[in-house]
Amino acid sequence: MESQISRIIKKLDALKKKDTQFTTFGSETHRYKLNKPKSENELLEFEARHGIKLPDGYRAFLKRIGNGGAGPYYGLEPLEDSTSDDLDRPVDKEWIDPSKPFKFIEPWNVNEEDSTDFNEEEYFSKELMNGALKISNFGCGISLIVIVNGTEYGNIWVDDRGNDQGIYPDPYFKNNGRINFLDWYEFWLDDSLKKINIDKSVNFSLEESIKQKFLNLVKRIRNK
């Protein structure tokens, strides 16, 4: 893990130096800046308060690199905001409970047109995010989550109920396989550096193009 942490630090520094115009998707928001890392005591306090143990890679990132900031999409959320059910509009009492197991092991959704018992309140219930922390905002009602309790512990999933697409493992990075936090973050760095190196004149901040690519992957998975 130490070698991967060192690689991530070097790659993030390289990306920051190369992308001075903030052309990668979301970089105009985070501008490759990181928040101050969490101390060991702060991490222990968070874990004790929520009755969980943070996945090792995510924990190491928070302690060694930064507590949110530069990262995939619009960047990483600070740990203290990760229990908010709505990253766009954090509101008191809208908190998810990471101490309870995450209930999903396969992609999940409800087809509103085919379901006679569709309940919108239940579909958008914050209880469906139990066992998870929301770590990144993709925009368009999509949140990236890391599972901290349950069978999928340590893996990155997507909460796409805002677009009626349900909840599923992150398809963008590993073709609907499973990916942990550090691999997910490093893949973002490698992908961003590759695009910058191929053609620095290309504007990779065109959100619709990237979002469409993401949504096309989701459609392919759902049609399998």
Side-chain angles (χ1 to χ4, degrees), residues 8 31 35 42 49 53 60 79 83 96 106 115-116 121 126 130 145 151 154 164 174 193 195 197-199 207 214 222:
I8 285 173
R31 302 179 78 85
N35 299 325
E42 287 175 319
R49 176 154 42 93
K53 185 182 185 306
L79 182 63
T83 56
I96 54 184
E106 297 294 340
S115 176
T116 57
E121 184 175 346
K126 65 179 182 293
N130 284 344
I145 61 178
T151 303
D164 301 325
K174 276 205 170 180
L193 284 167
K195 290 174 180 176
N197 290 334
I198 289 174
D199 188 352
E207 299 181 12
F214 185 94
R222 297 188 69 199

Side-chain angles (χ1 to χ4, degrees), residues 42-54 59:
E42 287 175 319
L43 293 173
L44 289 172
E45 190 278 331
F46 182 90
E47 291 174 326
R49 176 154 42 93
H50 293 288
I52 60 170
K53 185 182 185 306
L54 295 167
R59 197 179 197 281

Side-chain angles (χ1 to χ4, degrees), residues 64-111:
R64 294 283 309 282
I65 298 178
N67 176 34
Y73 312 125
Y74 289 110
L76 299 179
E77 298 293 321
L79 182 63
E80 53 270 22
D81 292 343
S82 63
T83 56
S84 173
D85 187 45
D86 188 341
L87 295 179
D88 290 321
R89 296 183 299 276
V91 177
D92 288 344
K93 298 183 180 180
E94 290 189 0
W95 308 110
I96 54 184
D97 186 352
S99 71
K100 297 179 179 179
F102 185 67
K103 66 182 293 183
F104 304 105
I105 57 174
E106 297 294 340
W108 171 86
N109 199 14
V110 173
N111 189 324

Side-chain angles (χ1 to χ4, degrees), residues 20-45:
T20 57
Q21 299 302 309
F22 307 115
T23 58
T24 61
F25 172 41
S27 59
E28 288 187 349
T29 299
H30 58 71
R31 302 179 78 85
Y32 301 113
K33 295 180 180 179
L34 291 162
N35 299 325
K36 179 182 176 182
K38 285 290 190 184
S39 68
E40 178 66 16
N41 285 340
E42 287 175 319
L43 293 173
L44 289 172
E45 190 278 331

Side-chain angles (χ1 to χ4, degrees), residues 215-224:
L215 295 175
N216 285 341
L217 281 167
V218 173
K219 289 179 182 177
R220 281 213 309 271
I221 291 167
R222 297 188 69 199
N223 291 332
K224 285 184 178 180

